[in-house]
Amino acid sequence: MSLVKLKDKRTGTTYIYESESYWDKEKKQPRSRRKLIGKLDEETGEIVPTGKSGRKKSSKTETAENSSTDLAAQHIRIIAEKEEQIRVLKAENQALLGQKQDILKTLEALCRKLSD
């Protein structure tokens, strides 16, 4: 067995396969089987598992239910974070509007003093 690296030109991702050679009796010639091991991490040079070998082993229904529940919880958390950001920004906006009004009043008073 050997490791084969193939680069996907469209995405630039390098995939690592385990290649096994065998003799095909019917065609009377050598053949090979390839099994995907994972992707090559360009920065570290490590193989990141993909496909079945990299996934958790659980039933499809459990996985679908868990992923939809996790996704819903994640969306709820994101919405709560965004609402908090909106609240903080609104408070900051109110404070800035107050500062703007104070500055305008000060400028008007200065203009009146200068014109007198």
Side-chain angles (χ1 to χ4, degrees):
M1 282 193 224
S2 63
L3 295 179
V4 177
K5 297 179 183 179
L6 290 176
K7 187 167 189 167
D8 185 348
K9 292 180 183 177
R10 293 172 292 163
T11 62
T13 304
T14 303
Y15 293 95
I16 308 293
Y17 294 88
E18 185 178 78
S19 179
E20 175 188 14
S21 297
Y22 68 97
W23 183 258
D24 189 343
K25 293 179 184 176
E26 293 176 15
K27 296 183 179 180
K28 297 185 181 185
Q29 53 184 292
R31 295 284 177 185
S32 64
R33 293 184 192 104
R34 287 187 181 169
K35 181 180 175 185
L36 177 63
I37 297 175
K39 295 179 184 180
L40 180 66
D41 185 358
E42 299 291 333
E43 295 173 2
T44 62
E46 294 180 10
I47 298 172
V48 179
T50 59
K52 292 181 182 177
S53 63
R55 293 186 192 146
K56 254 186 177 177
K57 301 198 185 225
S58 64
S59 69
K60 290 181 182 178
T61 56
E62 280 183 34
T63 305
E65 289 172 6
N66 289 343
S67 64
S68 64
T69 304
D70 291 343
L71 190 59
Q74 185 179 11
H75 283 148
I76 291 169
R77 183 181 51 79
I78 290 170
I79 290 170
E81 288 173 359
K82 298 297 180 189
E83 287 175 347
E84 177 63 20
Q85 283 180 333
I86 290 170
R87 188 189 64 73
V88 168
L89 289 172
K90 282 184 176 180
E92 184 179 340
N93 192 27
Q94 288 299 319
L96 290 171
L97 285 173
Q99 288 177 359
K100 176 185 159 192
Q101 291 300 324
D102 292 343
I103 291 170
L104 284 175
K105 287 179 185 175
T106 305
L107 282 173
E108 287 174 0
L110 284 173
C111 287
R112 271 188 256 127
K113 281 185 179 180
L114 289 174
S115 64
D116 288 341

